[in-house]
Amino acid sequence: MTSELPEMRASDADRERIAERLREAVAEGRLDMTEFEERLDLAYKARTQGELVPLVRDLPEPAAAPAAGDPAWPARVGRPATSKGAFAFWSGFGRRGRWSVARNFTAGVLQGGGDIDLREADFEDREIVIRCFAVMGGIQVVVPPELHVEVSGFGFMGGFDDRGAGEGTPGSPRVRITGFALMGGVDVRRKERKRARKQLGK
């Protein structure tokens, strides 16, 4: 997206790129919440690229994406939490993509399902506790290979899978996943980050 074509129609992807830069700016303290909300509203209403450019003109350019296998932990730790928990009753919830997990995150499902994906997530602290409670339902937690993960939950007439537990790379946050499953399941598994999978051709 360039300012040389101000009248070109903006795509959904263009608007989302601007929205992501605004989210990063508020997380870094460059924008206060009022400015962030005003600009975000304008970003999603923008019809042309010319309307999008001024919204980030006073913000730094985004850093280059890290290479596969390099999660850039220092930049991803210490971000304000965007979610402290999730619950689903006869339904489902998802926490995926770019979000920031609270130091204490609680998830629960009752006859429902939940997905917690930490591969692209930021972290409020270096020590994170995720409590998962599944009753006649299931919660799946997806973690990247580079993350340090401990699993200590248990299941009663259900399962609490710890296959995703393991050491992380130097500087990675320490995530402890605990809780219980009653006639349900909690599945913790490791998967490559989406960006890394694309670079590897998977």
Side-chain angles (χ1 to χ4, degrees):
M1 186 180 71
T2 63
S3 58
E4 284 76 17
L5 300 171
E7 299 307 315
M8 181 174 288
R9 288 281 179 167
S11 67
D12 287 341
D14 292 331
R15 284 184 278 268
E16 191 55 43
R17 277 194 293 272
I18 294 299
E20 181 60 28
R21 287 183 63 185
L22 294 173
R23 293 187 190 101
E24 292 180 358
V26 73
E28 293 169 352
R30 299 180 190 276
L31 297 176
D32 61 32
M33 286 305 298
T34 299
E35 293 174 307
F36 167 69
E37 290 171 358
E38 290 175 352
R39 296 193 191 193
L40 188 66
D41 183 59
L42 292 172
Y44 283 122
K45 289 180 179 177
R47 293 178 300 170
T48 67
Q49 294 189 5
E51 294 174 75
L52 289 173
V53 170
L55 301 178
V56 293
R57 182 171 287 147
D58 58 348
L59 300 176
E61 289 293 327
D70 177 18
W73 293 125
R76 295 174 60 184
V77 176
R79 296 293 188 106
T82 58
S83 182
K84 296 183 178 181
F87 179 74
F89 174 53
W90 287 2
S91 59
F93 72 79
R95 296 291 184 273
R96 310 180 188 90
R98 193 68 181 271
W99 65 292
S100 184
V101 58
R103 61 176 57 88
N104 290 294
F105 183 92
T106 301
V109 296
L110 176 58
Q111 295 184 356
D115 291 307
I116 302 171
D117 192 332
L118 301 180
R119 290 177 293 175
E120 303 295 332
D122 294 327
F123 302 86
E124 185 179 23
D125 205 343
R126 303 198 67 81
E127 301 282 340
I128 299 292
V129 177
I130 298 178
R131 299 179 179 88
C132 296
F133 304 99
V135 180
M136 292 188 289
I139 298 176
Q140 177 174 274
V141 184
V142 179
V143 301
E146 306 91 358
L147 187 66
H148 183 96
V149 180
E150 300 174 5
V151 181
S152 59
F154 67 94
F156 179 72
M157 298 178 67
F160 209 109
D161 197 327
D162 64 354
R163 286 178 296 176
E167 294 290 327
T169 56
S172 77
R174 183 178 298 269
V175 177
R176 184 162 63 90
I177 301 171
T178 186
F180 69 85
L182 174 63
M183 299 176 66
V186 175
D187 180 27
V188 183
R189 63 178 61 185
R190 289 182 181 265
K191 288 185 180 179
E192 291 283 353
R193 291 177 299 132
K194 294 178 181 179
R195 187 181 300 124
R197 292 175 66 183
K198 288 180 181 179
Q199 291 178 353
L200 293 172
K202 295 183 180 180

